[in-house]
Amino acid sequence: QKEVEQDPGPLSVPEGAIVSLNCTYSNSAFQYFMWYRQYSRKGPELLMYTYSSGNKEDGRFTAQVDKSSKYISLFIRDSQPSDSATYLCASQGGGNDMRFGAGTRLTVKP
Amino acid sequence: GAGVSQSPSNKVTEKGKDVELRCDPISGHTALYWYRQSLGQGLEFLIYFQGNSAPDKSGLPSDRFSAERTGGSVSTLTIQRTQQEDSAVYLCASSFAGGRNQPQHFGDGTRLSIL
């Protein structure tokens, strides 16, 4: 079993929809949770960074962490075609133990 | 400011040849990571450098893979006697310091194809 599980999709939504992306993790030591966005033929770009449980909002993006259920979510409001990319979740404890999900490929159709 | 720079962006080589991939991290970042990304497989950790400490090589898949970091800055990942299964995108990342509370910043990777 991978330490971070993520449904690879693909996920296709119409422009303006609310997108929900999810991951689960198994390592109770993970405290830091990240979402990266990766456009085709580009490196992952840090989108959201959270510590422990709770919500963090940045514009149209909200990251949610529930440590009790080991569940990580990213919500995208008013999705745009420019949001079409692969979204990677990642989790980390305190050392060099960052683990990535496989990535969910999202397409937002105009 | 400059981000993480990787070269070459693409590399095509024949099976059995050696390849060298280069990473130039963000200035001032002491931690440097190499990952391999295969289609649909996510990021696979390869090796981690932090300052002058001994590198964490626990992710290297075989002894054909090695990496070095000169002067605490530029890093080179070397793959000897390449095999077709080595075909992947090799990503480099750096962070201000290793470990907690230090998000990693990625380059655009080297797309390696072994014929």
Side-chain angles (χ1 to χ4, degrees):
Chain A
Q1 180 191 7
K2 291 185 178 180
E3 289 188 271
V4 179
E5 297 277 2
Q6 184 176 9
D7 185 341
L11 182 62
S12 181
V13 301
E15 182 176 356
I18 296 174
V19 176
S20 174
L21 303 168
N22 307 291
C23 292
T24 58
Y25 65 95
S26 58
N27 190 338
S28 298
F30 287 156
Q31 302 179 71
Y32 301 91
F33 305 94
M34 288 133 283
W35 284 94
Y36 285 85
R37 178 176 62 194
Q38 186 175 23
Y39 291 114
S40 180
R41 306 187 79 85
K42 291 290 187 180
E45 167 196 11
L46 183 65
L47 198 58
M48 299 287 281
Y49 183 83
T50 56
Y51 170 70
S52 194
S53 285
N55 293 0
K56 183 175 183 179
E57 187 174 322
D58 184 0
R60 295 185 296 109
F61 299 88
T62 300
Q64 195 172 77
V65 176
D66 182 346
K67 290 191 72 180
S68 62
S69 59
K70 298 188 177 66
Y71 203 78
I72 314 163
S73 300
L74 178 71
F75 299 96
I76 307 174
R77 292 185 299 279
D78 187 25
S79 56
Q80 303 295 309
S82 59
D83 295 329
S84 298
T86 296
Y87 290 79
L88 298 153
C89 61
S91 302
Q92 183 179 22
N96 176 34
D97 57 353
M98 183 178 288
R99 296 294 180 264
F100 289 84
T104 300
R105 186 174 173 185
L106 172 67
T107 301
V108 181
K109 296 185 175 180
Chain B
V4 177
S5 178
Q6 292 189 245
S7 62
S9 54
N10 291 281
K11 177 73 176 178
V12 180
T13 193
E14 294 179 348
K15 176 182 172 182
K17 299 288 188 182
D18 297 352
V19 295
E20 282 191 357
L21 312 179
R22 176 189 169 104
C23 173
D24 201 342
I26 293 172
S27 178
H29 281 193
T30 61
L32 186 148
Y33 308 76
W34 283 99
Y35 293 89
R36 179 167 66 179
Q37 186 175 34
S38 303
L39 190 63
Q41 297 299 313
L43 272 70
E44 175 190 4
F45 166 75
L46 297 177
I47 188 168
Y48 160 63
F49 296 90
Q50 169 54 38
N52 296 321
S53 301
D56 177 353
K57 304 179 182 180
S58 60
L60 294 178
S62 77
D63 59 8
R64 296 187 295 106
F65 288 72
S66 62
E68 62 177 22
R69 189 178 185 192
T70 54
S73 181
V74 171
S75 177
T76 302
L77 177 70
T78 301
I79 309 173
Q80 296 178 310
R81 305 181 302 282
T82 52
Q83 303 294 312
Q84 287 186 330
E85 61 263 28
D86 299 334
S87 297
V89 177
Y90 289 82
L91 290 162
C92 175
S94 69
S95 65
F96 184 69
R100 70 186 71 200
N101 202 30
Q102 297 296 337
Q104 298 176 24
H105 301 268
F106 285 83
D108 286 338
T110 294
R111 183 166 269 96
L112 177 64
S113 298
I114 309 300
L115 302 179

